[in-house]
């Protein structure tokens, strides 16, 4: 019984270690802790709303993907997107302002005109 218990505890430790690595998304100085729903930029905690956090999480999970406004809205709000709705634009603007307050010389979210948004790609 002791050996079985030791094996189970060993497996639990391994699983907890594996989950910790996926619990944080990193993009340069920006870190999203998915377990605690907190965001840090240059070690300063950002006061993000739940929707702002969800937008940033989605962009950071798929850094090479360009999200249409409809994709982002449906993923974050779980409802149909209406063209006249300015909600997403306001949340993106607020998110950009909060990021710029800590790091004014760096871009984090790009607007892809005619399509939507993506995580900023550095010019090569």
């Amino acid at each position: 019984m002791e050996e079985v218990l030791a094996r189970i505890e060993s497996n639990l430790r391994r699983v907890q270690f594996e989950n910790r690595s996926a619990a944080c998304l990193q993009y340069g100085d920006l870190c999203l802790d998915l377990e605690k729903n907190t965001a840090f930029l240059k070690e300063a905690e950002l006061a993000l709303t739940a929707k702002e956090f969800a937008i940033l999480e989605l962009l950071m999970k798929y850094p090479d993907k360009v999200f249409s406004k409809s994709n982002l809205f449906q993923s974050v709000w779980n409802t149909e997107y209406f063209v006249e709705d300015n909600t997403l634009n306001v949340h993106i603007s607020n998110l950009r302002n909060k990021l710029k307050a800590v790091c004014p010389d760096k871009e984090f979210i790009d607007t892809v005109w005619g399509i939507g948004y993506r995580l900023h790609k550095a010019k090569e």
Side-chain angles (χ1 to χ4, degrees):
M1 279 305 255
E2 289 178 28
E3 183 179 344
V4 171
L5 182 60
R7 287 178 186 222
I8 291 172
E9 288 172 349
S10 174
N11 283 333
L12 287 174
R13 279 192 305 274
R14 244 182 267 131
V15 169
Q16 287 174 346
F17 179 74
E18 289 172 4
N19 287 342
R20 281 189 200 138
S21 63
C24 186
L25 295 174
Q26 192 81 31
Y27 175 73
D29 294 333
L30 180 61
C31 178
L32 250 60
D33 187 332
L34 302 178
E35 286 183 1
K36 297 177 184 174
N37 278 354
T38 54
F40 293 91
L41 179 57
K42 289 190 173 181
E43 298 181 14
E45 186 171 356
L46 299 171
L48 301 180
T49 65
K51 299 298 183 190
E52 292 166 350
F53 187 88
I55 291 168
L56 198 54
E57 178 184 356
L58 192 59
L59 292 173
M60 289 177 70
K61 277 185 177 177
Y62 305 98
D64 296 325
K65 181 175 168 69
V66 177
F67 288 92
S68 70
K69 289 182 178 184
S70 179
N71 288 140
L72 274 171
F73 196 86
Q74 289 175 351
S75 295
V76 173
W77 278 268
N78 295 321
T79 187
E80 190 175 338
Y81 176 72
F82 298 104
V83 178
E84 303 86 29
D85 196 348
N86 204 28
T87 305
L88 181 62
N89 295 342
V90 171
H91 279 79
I92 292 287
S93 177
N94 291 340
L95 187 53
R96 284 178 170 156
N97 290 337
K98 289 176 182 181
L99 293 167
K100 282 236 182 253
V102 177
C103 195
D105 58 330
K106 189 168 182 190
E107 293 292 328
F108 291 92
I109 301 172
D110 286 338
T111 299
V112 181
W113 293 107
I115 300 174
Y117 301 100
R118 73 169 171 223
L119 203 59
H120 178 71
K121 284 190 166 191
K123 306 265 190 276
E124 295 174 1

